[in-house]
Amino acid sequence: MIARRLVLSAALLLALPAAAQNAKMYSVKKDASSLTYKLIHKMHTVSGKAPPSEGKAVLKPDGTLQVAVRAQVKDFDSQNSNRDTHMLEVTEASKFPLVEVKAVGTGVKTPAAFPASVPVTLKGKLTFHGVTKDVEIPMTVKFDSAKQVTADGSFKISLEGYNIERPTLLLVKVEDELVLEPHLVFTEGT
């Protein structure tokens, strides 16, 4: 009985590296990718954009897509330095310097012809302002070529849910809802 278990365990361990070798590894192209936030105030909508500081994706043979992306909070640029300084204060960027997403989706297969798009909902965790919460991110994964993939999506979070004091303009706070829009370009390779 013990010998049978050892043989089965050895067979499983030997099969794991073969499955991992068939997985496709992708790295984010920082200069072509961005994370954008949008805030709504009574008087206008504010958006800021940052390049990701790191990003990886793994597409497994069974169609499982794993994604991990992070950005530096200080890198978000709204084209208004006063606003950006205030955002750094309310997000306590010196104490919580990163916004990070780790998520998984299923049903993503490399297409036979390019370009091709696949819708997927990633489920995972968003860490922002020292708080980690579950998120669902509807994405469109576009296989631009055999070596490049672009993923676009949009999802909403609550500022107060992440313990962030809502910024004010003319004594009026922005809405609690923050929209995050990832535009991620990945190339195959480590």
Side-chain angles (χ1 to χ4, degrees):
M1 183 73 150
I2 293 175
R4 185 179 294 165
R5 284 186 185 164
L6 287 174
V7 169
L8 181 60
S9 296
L12 287 173
L13 288 173
L14 290 173
L16 287 176
Q21 289 174 356
N22 292 329
K24 291 189 175 191
M25 307 287 289
Y26 296 90
S27 295
V28 73
K29 288 179 72 174
K30 296 175 190 177
D31 60 339
S33 301
S34 62
L35 300 171
T36 301
Y37 75 80
K38 291 184 180 176
L39 284 173
I40 298 172
H41 185 271
K42 241 180 185 172
M43 298 177 66
H44 63 285
T45 298
V46 173
S47 67
K49 187 182 285 192
S53 56
E54 293 180 74
K56 297 283 183 188
V58 177
L59 180 56
K60 295 182 177 181
D62 68 357
T64 300
L65 176 64
Q66 299 173 319
V67 179
V69 177
R70 65 171 52 162
Q72 298 281 332
V73 174
K74 67 176 178 58
D75 291 342
F76 282 89
D77 182 6
S78 71
Q79 304 297 307
N80 181 311
S81 61
N82 288 334
R83 182 185 307 129
D84 293 339
T85 299
H86 186 55
M87 288 298 288
L88 291 175
E89 290 171 7
V90 299
T91 59
E92 298 179 276
S94 61
K95 187 175 179 182
F96 307 108
L98 298 173
V99 58
E100 182 175 49
V101 175
K102 293 180 181 177
V104 176
T106 58
V108 180
K109 298 282 187 174
T110 304
F114 304 99
S117 295
V118 178
V120 64
T121 298
L122 298 177
K123 295 180 181 183
K125 306 277 185 192
L126 171 70
T127 302
F128 182 36
H129 194 243
V131 176
T132 301
K133 291 188 169 281
D134 291 334
V135 291
E136 284 193 14
I137 309 168
M139 303 282 293
T140 299
V141 177
K142 181 181 176 197
F143 289 86
D144 303 310
S145 69
K147 299 284 185 186
Q148 183 170 297
V149 178
T150 301
D152 288 294
S154 179
F155 65 106
K156 300 171 185 175
I157 64 168
S158 159
L159 289 171
E160 292 174 356
Y162 284 87
N163 300 328
I164 297 171
E165 179 185 327
R166 293 186 287 156
T168 60
L169 176 65
L170 300 174
L171 304 176
V172 177
K173 290 186 177 196
V174 299
E175 290 183 12
D176 181 46
E177 182 178 275
L178 175 81
V179 177
L180 290 170
E181 297 176 341
H183 170 76
L184 304 170
V185 179
F186 290 98
T187 54
E188 192 174 358
T190 54

